[in-house]
Amino acid sequence: MGWYYNESTGEPQRGLEITMISITDLKSNTAYALDAQQTTDEDGRLRVELYTDHAIKVTAAVLALEIKYLAADAYYSKVYFVSAIIPTGLHIVGMLRIDSDLHWLPERTC
């Protein structure tokens, strides 16, 4: 048992948490669970690291199904997660967090 953020209540709550990776069939409008993993607190590791490890663990199975897009919630729009997923060959589709701070480099005209 640990403390986990419950988005539906907007606050941390004590309980169990799992991460689920699902395959979505757009034609039947259904998601099928591919892999679930209980989130455990590990000393010195952030949650985003645990979630990233889980996503990388199932990458081979996802790519074998000829899937190349990973749809992720705004929480996963973090440099750590994105920079670890891109080398696997998957493309990330998702929202940005409300506190995102984007910087566009201007194109040189000279």
Side-chain angles (χ1 to χ4, degrees), residues 67-83:
I67 296 170
K68 56 184 172 180
Y69 296 100
L70 173 65
D73 152 310
Y75 174 84
Y76 298 92
S77 297
K78 298 180 182 231
V79 171
Y80 184 88
F81 185 82
V82 173
S83 61

Side-chain angles (χ1 to χ4, degrees), residues 10-109:
E11 62 186 16
Q13 293 182 334
R14 188 161 166 73
L16 298 176
E17 177 189 60
I18 64 165
T19 56
M20 175 78 67
I21 297 180
S22 300
I23 305 299
T24 304
D25 183 345
L26 298 177
K27 290 181 183 174
S28 66
N29 198 28
T30 303
Y32 299 96
L34 177 67
D35 194 76
Q37 179 174 296
Q38 183 176 342
T39 305
T40 56
D41 286 330
E42 294 181 21
D43 289 337
R45 298 204 64 206
L46 301 172
R47 294 273 161 108
V48 71
E49 294 173 312
L50 301 172
Y51 303 149
T52 302
D53 290 348
H54 186 205
I56 290 172
K57 181 180 92 173
V58 300
T59 298
V62 171
L63 292 173
L65 295 169
E66 298 182 5
I67 296 170
K68 56 184 172 180
Y69 296 100
L70 173 65
D73 152 310
Y75 174 84
Y76 298 92
S77 297
K78 298 180 182 231
V79 171
Y80 184 88
F81 185 82
V82 173
S83 61
I85 296 300
I86 289 174
T88 68
L90 290 173
H91 301 276
I92 299 175
V93 176
M95 297 176 57
L96 292 176
R97 294 164 36 114
I98 196 166
D99 61 350
S100 295
D101 188 13
L102 300 176
H103 297 274
W104 295 91
L105 296 176
E107 290 185 28
R108 290 191 165 176
T109 57

